[in-house]
Amino acid sequence: EAQVTQNPRYLITVTGKKLTVTCSQNMNHEYMSWYRQDPGLGLRQIYYSMNVEVTDKGDVPEGYKVSRKEKRNFPLILESPSPNQTSLYFCASGASTDTQYFGPGTRLTVL
Amino acid sequence: AQKVTQAQTEISVVEKEDVTLDCVYETRDTTYYLFWYKQPPSGELVFLIRRNSFDEQNEISGRYSWNFQKSTSSFNFTITASQVVDSAVYFCALSVFTGNQFYFGTGTSLTVIP
C-alpha cells in the first residue's frame, strides 16, 4: 500500500530535550516536506527536499533541522524544543511539486 | 510572493444544502498548481483535486465541483446536497512552477447539521 508514515504519532516532551520525528514513504517520491499546523494559521511549510542531500527552508524553519540521506526518509529534528513548537506536524511526499500525499500527523506537546 | 486566502473561517449548513468554499490566491507566476485538501475530524489530510494554471475548465466529481477563474484569481469549491460526512476543515493550496514550496490557506471549517 502506497503511504507516508510518521512516528511517533503522539509525543509529550520537555523543553530542551532533543527529539526526532521520522517520516518514511514507499512511493519512490523525490519531493518530501514537513509542515506544522496551528489553529488559525493553516499549514506552514518548515523544510522541503527535492531529492537526496538537497534540502531547503520553508516559511518557518527556525528551531528545526532535517536531513535527506535516503530517498524514502526525511526526519524532522528538534535540537532544543520549546513550548512554541507545540503543534501538529505533517510530513508529505510527491513525485514533484504538482502533488503531495500526507502522513497521518504527529501531535507534539512541549512542556 | 505567493499567498492563499480563505476568508471563510467557519461555515454551518443544514444537510442537503449546497455550500461554496472560497479560495483566492496571489502569484505572479504564470505556471502554478492549485489544490484542495480535506481534513476530517480524524485529522488526516485527504487530497481532493489539483488544477494547473493552464486548465480553467471546471471539474465535477460526484457532489463536488470546482470553479477555477484566473480573471479573479479564485478556485472555489462547491459541495452539492451536503452530507454530515462532509463536515471537515478544507484547505486550499498553491504551488508555483518556478519554486518548490507549497502555500496553504488558513482553512475553512465546515459543519453540516443533520
Side-chain angles (χ1 to χ4, degrees):
Chain A
E1 179 190 356
Q3 59 183 353
V4 179
T5 56
Q6 294 179 230
N7 283 292
R9 294 290 312 280
Y10 302 90
L11 179 60
I12 300 174
T13 189
V14 296
T15 298
K17 187 176 181 181
K18 181 179 177 180
L19 66 91
T20 299
V21 184
T22 64
C23 173
S24 183
Q25 51 95 3
N26 62 1
M27 295 169 277
N28 201 36
H29 285 160
E30 293 189 345
Y31 187 90
M32 296 187 75
S33 183
W34 276 103
Y35 297 85
R36 61 178 290 172
Q37 182 180 0
D38 302 291
L41 297 177
L43 281 85
R44 293 178 293 168
Q45 200 166 25
I46 304 171
Y47 270 95
Y48 61 93
S49 169
M50 296 298 294
N51 214 324
V52 174
E53 302 292 1
V54 179
T55 62
D56 274 300
K57 296 178 180 179
D59 289 332
V60 289
E62 295 77 20
Y64 304 95
K65 285 176 56 177
V66 293
S67 69
R68 187 93 182 270
K69 295 186 171 65
E70 306 165 282
K71 199 172 189 178
R72 63 182 292 125
N73 296 323
F74 191 46
L76 179 69
I77 304 156
L78 284 72
E79 295 268 3
S80 183
S82 62
N84 64 12
Q85 293 178 298
T86 291
S87 188
L88 177 59
Y89 291 86
F90 286 99
C91 180
S93 75
S96 68
T97 54
D98 62 353
T99 306
Q100 287 195 114
Y101 298 95
F102 285 85
T106 295
R107 189 166 291 281
L108 171 66
T109 302
V110 184
L111 302 174
Chain B
Q2 276 60 239
K3 187 178 179 182
V4 176
T5 301
Q6 295 180 256
Q8 304 153 309
T9 304
E10 295 181 359
I11 300 176
S12 291
V13 298
V14 177
E15 200 170 22
K16 297 184 182 177
E17 286 184 348
D18 299 346
V19 58
T20 296
L21 309 182
D22 298 332
C23 173
V24 174
Y25 62 94
E26 296 176 29
T27 181
R28 291 183 179 179
D29 280 60
T30 56
T31 305
Y32 51 87
Y33 294 99
L34 295 164
F35 308 83
W36 277 96
Y37 286 87
K38 174 182 179 180
Q39 186 176 44
S42 51
E44 72 272 23
L45 284 159
V46 179
F47 168 78
L48 294 178
I49 191 172
R50 178 193 71 200
R51 177 64 79 214
N52 74 55
S53 53
F54 298 110
D55 184 3
E56 281 194 79
Q57 199 170 10
N58 292 334
E59 180 151 343
I60 298 174
S61 176
R63 297 184 296 108
Y64 295 172
S65 63
W66 291 269
N67 180 249
F68 175 28
Q69 292 197 336
K70 289 176 74 171
S71 61
T72 56
S73 297
S74 65
F75 186 43
N76 296 337
F77 174 28
T78 296
I79 302 175
T80 303
S82 60
Q83 299 176 1
V84 173
V85 293
D86 297 326
S87 295
V89 179
Y90 292 86
F91 290 99
C92 182
L94 164 73
S95 70
V96 298
F97 185 73
T98 56
N100 300 313
Q101 288 187 247
F102 280 77
Y103 305 88
F104 280 79
T106 52
T108 297
S109 178
L110 173 66
T111 300
V112 180
I113 303 165

